[in-house]
């Protein structure tokens, strides 16, 4: 019996302990509600914003309890209407807290000048804020009183008048600052203009044609930046003067600080990448410097590289520079600030698309230019004939070739057209200078061919600009039905104009043929002539021709 009674007593004690633990758990659970308060959210959702009381855009408290048919949103609307109905006399009284018992729970009633503003109950508390009801009420009271000052300023005519006077004075000061800045810029501009005319300054005068008044532009940029900052500060200060716009002024200040912090952080974080980019570009510049020295020696024929000719050094240098810089840019791209941003990628895609669409014809001409350069079909200074264009090559570009014609016109021929057509280089076989000039005449069979040869050679000897060290060459190109086609080829001295010498040579040819009574024409027969059109042997060496045994 004793053991059984002892066991029963132990069981009852255990049950009492178990009930005590359960009771303590329930007390702790309900007590947790009393230890919380509905603080405004830092990043509220739309529903949380609708349940939050705002005064001049400043959050005061977030309500969560539903009383009867009144939802938290309806309670917030009722509080807003109450605040709008307050007058200046009400605002001059401080907000007070009264302890009340409402809806079967403890609450705190906020009143001003005897008018109820808001009820904060235990059901409005939130688990995550870790505040008691009294602590939450004191925080709400502090926010109410802070905004009550703004409300009092709203109803204070004297405060609004003083604020308006401050705005007028501040605006006048801002205008004076702008006027002083513009005046100082004008004086700085006049000062540096005078120094430039006197050829003074820390920038060499020969660079001024390209750079201009750099100091004036830098000062103008500084003035514009300071003017923007002054306007920003003035606007923020103006908004802070009035209770309705005070939140905007504070937002402007917070925004500027946030922007400065982000810019400073971005600069600091981008500095290692920029250092790597600088190192890559320095190495690239060093490599190109070495290549320039090597190619310069090849161009001056001091060094020979298989497959590389002095005429193609210029194009080779450009191609290597483009390839090396593109490789360097590809290597440095991941280290550029914002390289992984969507904006950077969008710009890259845009430029790539534009280059793809616009470079179809350009690349055709560019590749044709490379063909011209590396095939060495022509060079700058050559006299060429392309189609109907004959003249001196003044430039071989990546896209087009420019020719100066005999009329001193500059003809630009696209490289694709040059490559696709026939190029006649009149000076390629004369590396020492000068070109070969050819002209032709057609003379009938009744004129001795030896006489024609001699007359053409005599006309060439009378022409200025022809190098007589190269003997004129006369060819009989074809024996036609009624006449013979003769061609005269002479060599011009270096620097002589092809068109000028050709014109003078034609003049002398006419004079010589007139002197010896030989008609320059292409005869054409309608009927068979009565006698044969031929030259008898005793007239084979008519003047100015001479027989081989009797040299001239």
């Amino acid at each position: 019996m004793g053991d059984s009674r002892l066991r029963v007593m132990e069981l009852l004690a255990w049950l009492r302990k178990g009930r005590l633990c359960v009771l303590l758990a329930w007390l702790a659970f309900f007590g947790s509600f009393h230890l919380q308060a509905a603080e405004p959210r830092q990043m509220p959702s739309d529903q949380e914003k609708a349940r939050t009381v705002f005064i001049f855009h400043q959050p005061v408290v977030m309500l969560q309890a539903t009383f009867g048919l009144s939802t938290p949103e309806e309670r917030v609307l009722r509080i807003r209407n109450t605040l709008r109905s307050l007058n200046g006399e009400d605002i001059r009284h401080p907000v007070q807290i009264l302890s009340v018992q409402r809806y079967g729970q403890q609450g705190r009633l906020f009143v001003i000048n005897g008018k109820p503003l808001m009820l904060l109950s235990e059901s409005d508390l939130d688990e995550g804020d870790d505040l008691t009801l009294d602590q939450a009420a004191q925080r709400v009271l502090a926010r109410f009183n802070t905004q009550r000052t703004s409300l009092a300023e709203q109803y204070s005519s004297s405060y609004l008048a003083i604020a308006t006077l401050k705005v007028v004075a501040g605006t006048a000061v801002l205008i004076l600052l702008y006027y002083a800045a513009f005046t100082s810029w004008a004086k700085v501009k006049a000062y540096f203009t005078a120094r430039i005319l006197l050829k003074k300054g820390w920038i060499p005068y020969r660079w001024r044609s390209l750079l201009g008044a750099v100091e004036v532009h830098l000062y103008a940029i500084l003035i514009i930046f300071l003017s923007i900052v002054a306007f920003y500060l003035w606007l923020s200060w103006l908004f802070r003067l009035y209770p309705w716009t005070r939140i905007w002024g504070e937002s402007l200040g917070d925004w500027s600080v946030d922007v400065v912090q982000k810019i400073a952080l971005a600069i600091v974080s981008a500095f290692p990448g920029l250092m790597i980019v600088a190192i890559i570009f320095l190495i690239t510049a060093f490599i190109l410097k070495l290549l320039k020295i090597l190619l310069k020696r090849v161009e001056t024929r001091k060094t020979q590289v298989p497959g590389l000719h002095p005429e193609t050094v210029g194009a080779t240098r450009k191609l290597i520079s483009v390839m090396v810089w593109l490789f360097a840019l590809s290597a440095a791209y991941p280290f550029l600030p914002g390289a992984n941003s969507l904006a950077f990628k969008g710009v890259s895609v845009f430029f790539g698309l534009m280059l793809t669409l616009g470079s179809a014809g350009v690349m055709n001409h560019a590749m044709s230019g490379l063909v011209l350069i590396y095939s060495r079909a022509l060079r700058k200074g050559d006299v060429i004939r392309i189609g109907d264009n004959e003249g001196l090559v003044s430039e071989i570009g990546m896209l087009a070739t420019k020719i100066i014609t005999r009329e001193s016109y500059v003809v630009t021929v696209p490289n694709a057209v040059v490559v696709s057509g026939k190029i006649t280089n009149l000076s390629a076989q004369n590396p020492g200078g000068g070109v070969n000039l050819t002209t032709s005449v057609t003379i009938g069979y009744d004129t001795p061919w030896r006489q024609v040869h001699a007359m053409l050679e005599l006309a060439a000897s009378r022409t200025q600009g022809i190098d007589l060290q190269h003997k004129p060459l006369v060819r009989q190109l074809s024996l036609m039905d009624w006449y013979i086609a003769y061609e005269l080829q002479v060599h011009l001295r270096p620097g002589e104009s092809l068109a000028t010498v050709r014109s003078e040579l034609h003049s002398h040819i006419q004079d010589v043929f007139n002197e010896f009574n030989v008609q320059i024409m292409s005869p054409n027969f309608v009927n068979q002539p009565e006698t044969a059109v031929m030259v008898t042997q005793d007239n084979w060496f008519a003047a100015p021709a001479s027989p081989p045994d009797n040299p001239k």
Side-chain angles (χ1 to χ4, degrees):
M1 289 292 295
D3 294 337
S4 300
R5 187 176 295 175
L6 180 61
R7 291 177 180 175
V8 171
M9 292 176 65
E10 290 176 353
L11 180 60
L12 291 174
W14 182 83
L15 289 174
R16 290 191 187 99
K17 292 180 180 180
R19 288 177 181 176
L20 180 59
C21 293
V22 173
L23 180 60
L24 292 175
W26 278 103
L27 290 175
F29 179 73
F30 284 107
S32 63
F33 287 98
H34 295 279
L35 294 174
Q36 314 300 329
E39 287 290 288
R41 295 290 185 265
Q42 297 295 326
M43 300 179 63
S45 62
D46 293 338
Q47 182 181 12
E48 291 171 342
K49 287 181 180 179
R51 295 183 175 184
T52 303
V53 178
F54 289 91
I55 300 179
F56 290 121
H57 305 285
Q58 292 289 349
V60 176
V61 65
M62 187 179 71
L63 304 179
Q64 301 188 99
T66 300
F67 297 143
L69 298 178
S70 298
T71 62
E73 291 81 3
E74 292 175 344
R75 292 173 61 197
V76 169
L77 292 176
R78 189 179 297 114
I79 294 170
R80 290 178 183 173
N81 293 330
T82 302
L83 291 172
R84 291 192 184 100
S85 65
L86 297 178
N87 53 37
E89 180 63 25
D90 295 332
I91 298 301
R92 281 192 288 271
H93 291 78
V95 180
Q96 296 177 343
I97 300 177
L98 300 179
S99 298
V100 296
Q101 184 79 19
R102 298 287 175 86
Y103 308 104
Q105 57 182 326
Q106 290 291 328
R108 300 293 182 267
L109 181 64
F110 294 84
V111 297
I112 182 171
N113 196 20
K115 297 179 180 181
L117 288 177
M118 185 190 72
L119 175 65
L120 182 65
S121 67
E122 293 177 345
S123 302
D124 290 317
L125 305 178
D126 194 352
E127 295 180 356
D129 296 328
D130 196 18
L131 294 172
T132 64
L133 181 59
D134 289 330
Q135 290 174 341
Q138 291 299 323
R139 289 196 175 189
V140 175
L141 178 64
R143 297 191 188 107
F144 266 127
N145 284 325
T146 300
Q147 299 306 319
R148 187 178 64 85
T149 305
S150 299
L151 288 171
E153 294 171 351
Q154 178 182 353
Y155 291 101
S156 176
S157 300
S158 61
Y159 175 82
L160 295 178
I162 293 173
T164 303
L165 290 176
K166 290 181 179 179
V167 169
V168 173
T171 304
V173 171
L174 182 66
I175 294 174
L176 288 176
L177 288 176
Y178 281 170
Y179 177 77
F182 178 79
T183 304
S184 64
W185 175 77
K187 292 182 178 179
V188 169
K189 183 178 180 180
Y191 172 75
F192 279 104
T193 301
R195 287 181 62 85
I196 291 173
L197 293 176
L198 296 174
K199 298 183 179 181
K200 295 182 179 180
W202 57 277
I203 297 179
Y205 186 78
R206 63 179 179 276
W207 294 357
R208 288 294 183 181
S209 58
L210 177 63
L211 300 178
V214 180
E215 303 88 349
V216 177
H217 298 316
L218 292 177
Y219 186 77
I221 293 174
L222 178 62
I223 289 297
I224 293 174
F225 175 75
L226 294 178
S227 300
I228 294 174
V229 172
F231 178 79
Y232 184 88
L233 295 176
W234 171 83
L235 189 63
S236 177
W237 171 76
L238 182 146
F239 284 154
R240 290 173 185 267
L241 290 177
Y242 295 97
W244 312 286
T245 58
R246 189 164 294 160
I247 184 64
W248 295 348
E250 296 175 355
S251 300
L252 285 176
D254 296 339
W255 178 82
S256 61
V257 173
D258 184 60
V259 168
V260 172
Q261 289 178 348
K262 288 182 179 179
I263 293 175
L265 182 61
I267 293 174
V268 173
S269 60
F271 186 75
L274 292 176
M275 289 295 296
I276 296 176
V277 171
I279 293 173
I280 292 174
F281 285 166
L282 287 175
I283 294 175
T284 302
F286 178 73
I287 293 174
L288 290 177
K289 187 69 175 179
L290 295 179
L291 289 173
K292 182 179 179 181
I293 295 173
L294 175 62
L295 294 175
K296 190 67 176 179
R297 293 182 61 85
V298 174
E299 187 176 17
T300 56
R301 303 182 186 275
K302 295 180 180 179
T303 303
Q304 293 184 354
V305 177
L308 186 61
H309 303 279
E311 300 86 358
T312 62
V313 165
T316 303
R317 183 189 299 116
K318 294 178 181 178
L319 287 176
I320 293 177
S321 299
V322 171
M323 293 175 62
V324 171
W325 279 116
L326 287 177
F327 179 78
L329 184 60
S330 301
Y333 176 84
F335 302 100
L336 293 174
N340 295 323
S341 64
L342 295 178
F344 209 109
K345 294 178 181 178
V347 172
S348 302
V349 172
F350 173 76
F351 279 109
L353 181 62
M354 295 298 294
L355 183 63
T356 301
L357 295 177
S359 63
V362 174
M363 289 303 297
N364 184 22
H365 294 304
M367 296 306 296
S368 300
L370 293 178
V371 171
L372 288 176
I373 293 172
Y374 284 98
S375 64
R376 293 183 294 165
L378 50 87
R379 295 174 297 179
K380 181 179 179 180
D382 286 351
V383 179
I384 64 172
R385 184 184 298 121
I386 301 177
D388 297 333
N389 301 305
E390 180 183 272
L392 181 70
V393 177
S394 63
E395 180 182 347
I396 304 176
M398 291 297 296
L399 302 179
T401 299
K402 294 185 178 182
I403 303 172
I404 301 177
T405 63
R406 62 176 177 270
E407 299 92 350
S408 296
Y409 297 157
V410 178
V411 179
T412 301
V413 185
N415 286 335
V417 176
V418 177
V419 172
S420 61
K422 182 180 72 172
I423 305 173
T424 303
N425 196 325
L426 304 178
S427 58
Q429 297 298 322
N430 302 291
V435 296
N436 292 329
L437 169 63
T438 58
T439 187
S440 61
V441 293
T442 54
I443 306 298
Y445 285 95
D446 55 344
T447 303
W449 64 267
R450 296 176 181 83
Q451 183 184 22
V452 175
H453 281 220
M455 287 189 293
L456 291 175
E457 292 174 356
L458 179 59
S461 65
R462 294 179 179 180
T463 305
Q464 299 291 328
I466 293 179
D467 187 2
L468 297 180
Q469 293 181 359
H470 296 76
K471 184 178 180 181
L473 178 62
V474 181
R475 302 185 183 92
Q476 295 176 211
L477 297 181
S478 60
L479 302 176
M480 311 299 292
D481 290 340
W482 301 300
Y483 52 81
I484 304 172
Y486 296 91
E487 180 186 73
L488 171 64
Q489 176 179 321
V490 295
H491 185 78
L492 273 63
R493 290 197 293 263
E496 294 290 340
S497 172
L498 186 66
T500 302
V501 176
R502 180 188 286 117
S503 177
E504 184 180 353
L505 177 61
H506 288 169
S507 301
H508 288 300
I509 289 176
Q510 296 177 64
D511 291 341
V512 170
F513 274 70
N514 289 333
E515 290 177 12
F516 293 96
N517 299 319
V518 177
Q519 186 177 10
I520 301 177
M521 74 173 200
S522 302
N524 218 331
F525 298 107
V526 177
N527 296 320
Q528 179 69 24
E530 296 180 357
T531 59
V533 179
M534 56 180 295
V535 178
T536 60
Q537 186 173 1
D538 56 346
N539 292 324
W540 281 4
F541 297 97
S546 57
D549 56 346
N550 186 20
K552 182 179 177 181

